[in-house]
Structure formats: C-alpha cells, structure tokens
C-alpha cells in the first residue's frame, strides 16, 4: 500500500485558522485545481465538474458578498458570531468555488432516460470527489482549508459578479491559506463499527 497517499489523506483536515499567505505560487494553485478537475472521476466520463479560483481582492469580495447576504437573514443580536466566522474565511489567501454543469446533467438524463433520476446524485458524488482531491492536494503542499456551503444563498450574486454560466450550480466553497493554527486532535469511532468484512 502506498503510504504517501494515506499520509496525504490523513493530513487533510478542516483548518479554520488560515492566513493571507500561501506556501506555493498562484500558478501552482491553478495547476493543482486544473489537474484535479482533469483527473477526478465523473459518471459516464461526463466531466460535469467546474471550478473557479478566487485570489486576492476577488477572494475578499466573495466573503463580503456572503457576509452581506447573511446580514439580511441573521437576527442582528446574533450576527456578531456570523461576522467573525465570515472574517475567518476572508482572512485566507483564496477560495475555490465548486460547481456542477446542469446542462451536461440534463443532457445525460435525456440520453440515458433509464438512469435519469441518478444523474443528479452521481453529479454530486463527482463534485465530492473533486473537492476531496483539491483539499487533499492543498494539504499536501501546506495549505489549510475548510469546506463551506453558503449556496444557494449566494448563488445569484456569485454568478452575476464573476460572469458564471447560468447552468453552473454552486456546490461548495473552499477557503484556503497558510495554516495559522493547526486543528486539534481528531476523535475516531471504533473502526469495527464502521467497516464490515465478509469472507
């Protein structure tokens, strides 16, 4: 078994204390995301996954949008905690937005009617695998990240701000940056309760 693969898997954690620095170049960040999109599996090799990388002021703008969107729905007396959380994401170096192209999903549903109900499920699974690949690859190069889900609240403004095609459905947001503080130890349920082997 390749230990380096599982070492990378173990390194990937939810890291909330991130900074506006990166241990790697913007070009390397782009390369990681592009390689992940190219090589992460999709059902029927449909290649439904899409990604948008926001750096610098564009990253800040995303979390300003999210903050102001939430300000409209979170009670004022409870907003301070929300604002602090948004600030922690904004304090990062960048964000990867994960999308799934619904035009491709709908075309698959039309072409393979017997599986029509499954294609949205398989699309989400494809996105999850892409998220894991990017997140793990980031961890391997020293970038901390956490997976967030402020969709669909921010979808319309995100699409308008960055000219995202209407058919792209926002699935998740991954703010990242240099690790300012490592996460604490992780507790595990007994593996015997989670894995069954029959011979």
């Amino acid at each position: 078994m390749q230990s380096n693969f599982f070492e990378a898997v173990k390194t990937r954690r939810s890291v909330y204390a991130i900074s506006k620095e990166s241990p790697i170049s913007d070009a390397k960040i782009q390369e990681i995301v592009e390689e992940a999109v190219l090589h992460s599996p999709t059902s029927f090799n449909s290649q439904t996954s899409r990604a948008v990388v926001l750096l610098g002021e564009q990253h800040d703008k995303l979390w300003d949008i999210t903050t102001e969107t939430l300000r409209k729905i979170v009670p004022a007396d409870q907003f301070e905690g929300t604002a602090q959380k948004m600030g922690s994401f904004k304090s990062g170096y960048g964000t990867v937005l994960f999308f799934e192209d619904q035009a491709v999903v709908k075309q698959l549903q039309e072409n393979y009617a017997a599986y029509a109900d499954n294609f949205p499920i398989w699309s989400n699974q494809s996105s999850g695998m892409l998220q894991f690949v990017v997140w793990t690859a980031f961890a391997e190069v020293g970038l901390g990240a956490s997976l967030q889900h402020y969709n669909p609240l921010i979808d319309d403004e995100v699409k308008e701000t960055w000219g995202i095609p209407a058919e792209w459905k926002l699935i998740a947001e991954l703010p990242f940056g240099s690790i300012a503080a490592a996460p604490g130890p992780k507790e595990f349920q007994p593996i015997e309760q989670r894995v069954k082997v029959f011979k």
Side-chain angles (χ1 to χ4, degrees):
M1 187 178 295
Q2 292 291 326
S3 61
N4 58 340
F5 173 75
F6 278 100
E7 284 307 310
V9 170
K10 292 173 188 177
T11 300
R12 186 223 52 80
R13 297 283 307 278
S14 291
V15 179
Y16 297 102
I18 52 177
S19 72
K20 284 201 176 296
E21 283 110 34
S22 172
I24 60 174
S25 68
D26 292 354
K28 184 63 177 177
I29 291 169
Q30 180 177 341
E31 179 186 343
I32 287 172
V33 175
E34 289 176 346
E35 289 289 296
V37 169
L38 280 175
H39 299 291
S40 294
T42 58
S43 64
F44 286 62
N45 192 32
S46 54
Q47 302 178 47
T48 50
S49 299
R50 308 285 183 263
V52 172
V53 181
L54 302 175
L55 302 172
E57 293 179 0
Q58 301 302 314
H59 157 80
D60 291 348
K61 188 183 295 184
L62 172 74
W63 295 107
D64 288 341
I65 287 170
T66 308
T67 299
E68 294 312 309
T69 299
L70 293 173
R71 191 187 302 277
K72 297 171 187 173
I73 59 175
V74 176
D77 60 343
Q78 300 173 25
F79 188 70
E80 180 59 31
T82 298
Q84 289 179 3
K85 184 183 285 188
M86 295 306 104
S88 73
F89 302 143
K90 185 177 176 179
S91 70
Y93 186 79
T95 301
V96 181
L97 304 178
F98 296 97
F99 297 84
E100 285 289 303
D101 191 335
Q102 300 307 295
V104 179
V105 174
K106 289 174 183 174
Q107 188 63 57
L108 288 165
Q109 289 177 306
E110 292 173 9
N111 292 347
Y112 304 96
Y115 301 109
D117 292 343
N118 289 328
F119 281 113
I121 298 169
W122 292 338
S123 170
N124 281 332
Q125 291 172 346
S126 296
S127 182
M129 288 186 278
L130 172 60
Q131 293 162 34
F132 176 76
V133 171
V134 172
W135 196 354
T136 303
F138 277 2
E140 196 171 31
V141 296
L143 282 169
S146 66
L147 196 65
Q148 303 303 319
H149 301 89
Y150 290 98
N151 43 293
L153 294 172
I154 62 173
D155 291 24
D156 291 343
E157 194 164 355
V158 164
K159 289 179 180 179
E160 181 179 347
T161 301
W162 287 285
I164 306 299
E167 297 82 10
W168 291 19
K169 179 181 179 182
L170 182 58
I171 305 295
E173 308 87 42
L174 187 76
F176 63 87
S178 287
I179 300 171
K186 186 175 182 178
E187 295 183 2
F188 296 93
Q189 297 175 5
I191 195 64
E192 297 81 7
Q193 296 178 11
R194 303 177 66 191
V195 178
K196 302 294 182 186
V197 177
F198 300 93
K199 298 182 180 179

